[in-house]
């Protein structure tokens, strides 16, 4: 089985290192981006099974990234993580399509559980990105 491909987005390099190392050990293939703009460029060019993004970043926020990415790949799961969480921002993020919204610091075991639940909810065979091909309800006659 191919490992899931995750994109982790955060403007803090140390958080990227910690999350990348921890999730890489848990059999995920990790790519990182330090801004929403960089992440969107990667999403346009590569296939990802999920995005884990900081909510508050300079320039494009994690929520703005999610909205733009979902116009390209509507079923791409997003987990938004923030140090500045409010109930209102969590509700808004969920309404806009976030799988979940968590506050920092996030327990790595909990994050892994959230990621695996989200990926199991989606079809394991359904990749997201420019290399993906989705066939739904194919009907044919011969």
């Amino acid at each position: 089985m191919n490992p899931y491909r995750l994109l982790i987005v955060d403007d803090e390099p140390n958080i990227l290192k910690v999350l990348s190392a921890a999730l890489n050990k848990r059999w995920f293939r990790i790519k990182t981006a330090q801004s929403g703009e960089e992440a969107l460029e990667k999403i346009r060019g590569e296939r990802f099974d999920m995005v884990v993004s900081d909510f508050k970043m300079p320039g494009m926020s994690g929520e703005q990234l999610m909205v733009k990415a979902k116009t390209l790949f509507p079923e791409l799961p997003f987990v938004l993580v923030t140090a500045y969480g409010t109930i209102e921002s969590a509700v808004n993020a969920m309404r806009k399509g976030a799988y979940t919204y968590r506050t920092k610091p996030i327990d790595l075991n909990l994050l892994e559980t959230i990621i695996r639940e989200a990926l199991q909810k989606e079809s394991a065979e359904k990749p997201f990105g420019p290399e993906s091909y989705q066939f739904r309800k194919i009907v044919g006659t011969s």
Side-chain angles (χ1 to χ4, degrees), residues 43-46 66 68-78 127-132 134:
I43 290 168
R44 285 183 176 130
E46 299 179 49
M66 178 184 69
K68 289 182 181 194
K70 284 186 168 286
T71 63
L72 300 168
F73 307 105
E75 296 185 31
L76 177 61
F78 263 77
F128 302 96
E131 303 164 16
S132 68
Q134 296 182 17

Side-chain angles (χ1 to χ4, degrees), residues 49-100:
D49 298 301
M50 173 173 263
V51 177
V52 177
S53 178
D54 188 14
F55 184 80
K56 189 171 184 173
M57 297 181 288
M60 185 187 302
S61 73
E63 184 177 48
Q64 291 168 326
L65 167 64
M66 178 184 69
V67 169
K68 289 182 181 194
K70 284 186 168 286
T71 63
L72 300 168
F73 307 105
E75 296 185 31
L76 177 61
F78 263 77
V79 172
L80 294 174
V81 182
T82 186
Y84 310 98
T86 66
I87 292 172
E88 182 181 349
S89 60
V91 169
N92 286 335
M94 300 291 281
R95 282 186 180 150
K96 291 180 181 177
Y99 178 77
T100 192

